[in-house]
Amino acid sequence: MRRLPPRRPGRTNFWDHLSELERRTLVQVGVARRVHVNETLPVRDGPGIAIVTEGAWVRLQAGNARTSRSVIDLAAPGDLISALHPTDPANPQWPEEATDIYGVVLARGVILDVAQEMIPIILGDLPYIPTLIRRIQNDQLHFAWQLQAGRRLKIDIRLARLLLGLLHRFGEKPVGQHNVLMPPLSQGDLAAWIGASETSVGRVLKRWRCEGLVRTGYSTVAITDHKVLRAIADSPTMPYAKLPTTVGEMAAGYLNLGRTRSVPVPADLPPGLHVRGADGHLPQGPYRGTRAQRRGDR
């Protein structure tokens, strides 16, 4: 059976959307340092930008103990470790139970840190960056709140939603005869992300392997039957909706954006869940042309 081309990432990658001038400026004012697997990176409460570069992957989690941690999100090469507090400590928050947030390195690489005192300079000279960060905040919060909203669903539904969400956001890479999800996640990471025990997640993955839905390896998962997994992800009480992955899809899901100070709740989230505090304005895509031209576009 011929392997299909791997699916491309659908999320907004911070570094890829910057101009050369913006990249050079961040490199000049920031400090690059090498990080290693299992290194813990405290996520500061105040302003500051930390960018994952050169191959690193970082798992964002609440709590630092293996048995009590809760995975919140991932940062791939080019991503901000956390987009919620890089420019303003009053930015939106993760779900309520997400306190004492840490970043844990999953694959070694380099982190570019921009200190708090440099943030006003960055915002003043590079006005596109805060707009881009707000767009990434919308992406991250939509994903986090959608998973949080499904915490009472059956484990197989939660796990299917997580795997499909990772597929849409981070894409796949070819490994051997299969395309595997890009993130290097263990079975324990998947369990901590959906709020289930590692044993329960292991049973579901074993059943799916027997049914030909997935293939698993060391910190790898390959989805081999997307249609069936998509059917599993649906629930009569909370239908599954693919996360918006393009500007057009996001515009369709976030109505009446404007320059407000709150994010409209997407239609696929149940009533009562509110995402707080980010600007709902959606930029019209990555950098194009000079800064003056870009200001005119906006």
Side-chain angles (χ1 to χ4, degrees):
M1 183 177 178
R2 188 172 64 89
R3 182 180 65 193
L4 295 174
R7 301 199 180 193
R8 300 180 61 184
R11 76 192 186 286
T12 301
N13 185 285
F14 179 76
W15 196 254
D16 287 350
H17 281 67
L18 298 179
S19 69
E20 285 301 318
L21 171 63
E22 291 162 335
R23 292 178 184 178
R24 287 199 304 269
T25 301
L26 290 175
V27 169
Q28 289 172 0
V29 301
V31 177
R33 64 185 183 92
R34 187 162 295 279
V35 294
H36 303 278
V37 176
N38 293 327
E39 183 176 340
T40 300
L41 311 172
V43 177
R44 58 172 65 90
D45 293 329
I49 294 176
I51 308 164
V52 183
T53 64
E54 293 188 25
W57 281 80
V58 177
R59 179 183 68 230
L60 202 62
Q61 65 183 47
N64 203 23
R66 178 177 177 82
T67 56
S68 62
R69 63 185 171 91
S70 175
V71 177
I72 303 172
D73 208 346
L74 288 175
D79 289 341
L80 299 172
I81 292 183
S82 175
L84 295 198
H85 300 101
T87 57
D88 184 354
N91 269 328
Q93 306 293 318
W94 293 108
E96 283 80 356
E97 71 275 9
T99 57
D100 298 325
I101 298 177
Y102 299 86
V104 178
V105 180
L106 299 178
R108 66 182 182 180
V110 176
I111 302 295
L112 179 64
D113 275 316
V114 179
Q116 176 175 344
E117 56 269 20
M118 301 304 301
I119 297 302
I121 301 174
I122 295 296
L123 300 187
D125 292 347
L126 306 173
Y128 175 62
I129 287 183
T131 304
L132 176 60
I133 289 175
R134 287 193 293 270
R135 175 175 168 182
I136 296 173
Q137 287 173 351
N138 288 340
D139 290 350
Q140 285 192 314
L141 285 172
H142 188 181
F143 185 59
W145 279 100
Q146 189 183 67
L147 291 178
Q148 177 72 11
R151 280 298 179 99
R152 295 186 179 182
L153 299 174
K154 294 167 56 178
I155 291 177
D156 55 346
I157 298 177
R158 282 182 274 162
L159 184 58
R161 290 179 175 218
L162 173 60
L163 295 180
L164 291 172
L166 294 174
L167 172 66
H168 297 318
R169 291 183 70 204
F170 296 101
E172 299 172 309
K173 61 181 178 181
V175 176
Q177 299 300 315
H178 300 278
N179 296 323
V180 304
L181 297 179
M182 286 290 292
L185 290 174
S186 67
Q187 187 170 291
D189 293 331
L190 298 175
W193 208 328
I194 65 173
S197 69
E198 191 169 342
T199 302
S200 299
V201 169
R203 283 198 295 264
V204 173
L205 289 175
K206 181 179 180 180
R207 186 174 74 249
W208 287 354
R209 284 196 299 267
C210 294
E211 296 172 353
L213 306 184
V214 301
R215 296 176 67 93
T216 59
Y218 180 73
S219 294
T220 61
V221 178
I223 301 174
T224 52
D225 196 325
H226 297 81
K227 290 184 178 180
V228 174
L229 200 66
R230 173 66 173 78
I232 294 173
D234 259 329
S235 167
T237 58
M238 193 184 302
Y240 173 76
K242 186 185 78 171
L243 300 177
T245 57
T246 66
V247 172
E249 289 178 357
M250 291 184 70
Y254 292 81
L255 301 179
N256 302 320
L257 286 176
R259 294 183 179 272
T260 62
R261 291 301 301 171
S262 63
V263 178
V265 179
D268 57 321
L269 294 182
L273 282 181
H274 297 283
V275 184
R276 305 182 301 276
D279 191 325
H281 173 61
L282 182 65
Q284 298 302 309
Y287 170 86
R288 293 290 185 270
T290 65
R291 188 169 69 185
Q293 290 172 331
R294 197 165 61 212
R295 283 174 176 168
D297 292 340
R298 295 200 297 270

